[in-house]
Amino acid sequence: MSLVTMKSLLAEADQCKCAVGAFSVGNMEMVMGAVKAAEEMNTPIILQIAEKRLLNSPLELMAPMMVSAARNSKVAIAVHLDHGLTFDCVQRALEYGFTSVMLDASLYPYDENIAMTKQVVTVASRFNATVEAELGVVGGNEGDTEEHVITCTDPSVAADFCEQTGVDALAVAIGNAHGNYPVLPSLRFDILEQIHSAVDVPLVLHGGTGITDDMFRRAISLGIRKINIATASFDNLALFAQKCCAASDSVDYFKLSDQMVQGVYENVKRHIRVFNGE
Ligand code: 13P
């Protein structure tokens, strides 16, 4: 199929009342595992990487690989910059051919979040790229030592935010957090429902690792059209690698690489099933 805009995938997901999985990647095996699962399920996905992760996985290496994987895939794939922190990184991602970007200005005051997001919308439009923004604060951290305290999105300003910025997708904070949850989260579906009835844009759920299938289904029924999964893929890759190394005294790199692909593939496939409503 092809490299597509995230906007087009979210519109299709809205038609069939399902969600598109946005799977974070950090190396070639993760890209291969995610694409393999998507092709087998004949389902579009989003491949994404967060700016903080570029310390381990440089953009100049990851971006051509992600874009090429999308172009050569049998299914439609959007390539997205997750949690951009700088305008420079957003610009570079767009120049490499990412079809979607997020500048995370959620920790800034409301007006600054709007002003920064508007700038990204202007730049992204030159590349025909999609823009995601976050309103409220998702908990945990994305490759950071600092834990963010959850601030739920205020539904009464969601429509104003979307109108003023012109974003294509809105990430909500409803009790969700990045990383492994210490206890099962209790998501504020009442808040999600209010946001969903206030805005027209597709909604995004961050912090997908550890959310139960029933919660995913409920979130999808309330307008969530993109679901981010990172930690579960990194953890499953590490687990499969660990088992491979423990299985014999000497480690065959090629077997190890296969197992890393397999670990990500199994996690991605499991999530695609739920997001497709199976
Ligand atoms: P998890 O690491 O909890 O899956 O969160 C992923 C995410 O939201 C990336 O932005």
Side-chain angles (χ1 to χ4, degrees), residues 179-181 183-185 207-213 215-216 229 232 270-271:
N180 287 304
Y181 292 93
V183 292
L184 196 64
T209 297
I211 289 181
T212 64
D213 293 357
M215 287 183 191
F216 281 136
I229 303 289
R270 184 188 98 62
H271 283 96

Side-chain angles (χ1 to χ4, degrees), residues 107-201:
L107 293 175
Y108 290 86
Y110 183 67
D111 288 344
E112 279 179 62
N113 190 352
I114 288 180
M116 290 165 80
T117 304
K118 271 170 92 166
Q119 273 188 59
V120 174
V121 170
T122 303
V123 176
S125 70
R126 291 186 205 126
F127 293 83
N128 188 31
T130 307
V131 177
E132 174 184 334
E134 182 174 314
L135 186 60
V137 180
V138 171
N141 63 60
E142 179 63 30
D144 205 344
T145 46
E146 189 196 339
E147 287 283 318
H148 300 136
V149 177
I150 296 171
T151 309
C152 284
T153 305
D154 178 354
S156 71
V157 297
D160 177 66
F161 182 84
C162 292
E163 224 163 86
Q164 285 208 54
T165 56
V167 282
D168 303 297
L170 182 69
V172 296
I174 53 166
N176 45 323
H178 296 113
N180 287 304
Y181 292 93
V183 292
L184 196 64
S186 60
L187 298 184
R188 293 288 306 270
F189 291 109
D190 55 328
I191 292 181
L192 180 58
E193 196 166 6
Q194 289 173 50
I195 301 167
H196 183 39
S197 51
V199 305
D200 281 338
V201 301

Side-chain angles (χ1 to χ4, degrees), residues 73-84:
S73 168
K74 294 190 193 113
V75 293
I77 297 183
V79 178
H80 173 70
L81 176 70
D82 186 32
H83 293 285

Side-chain angles (χ1 to χ4, degrees), residues 4 14 19 76 91 112 174-175 209 234 236 239:
V4 299
D14 199 46
Q91 176 75 31
E112 279 179 62
I174 53 166
T209 297
F234 287 107
N236 225 35
L239 182 70

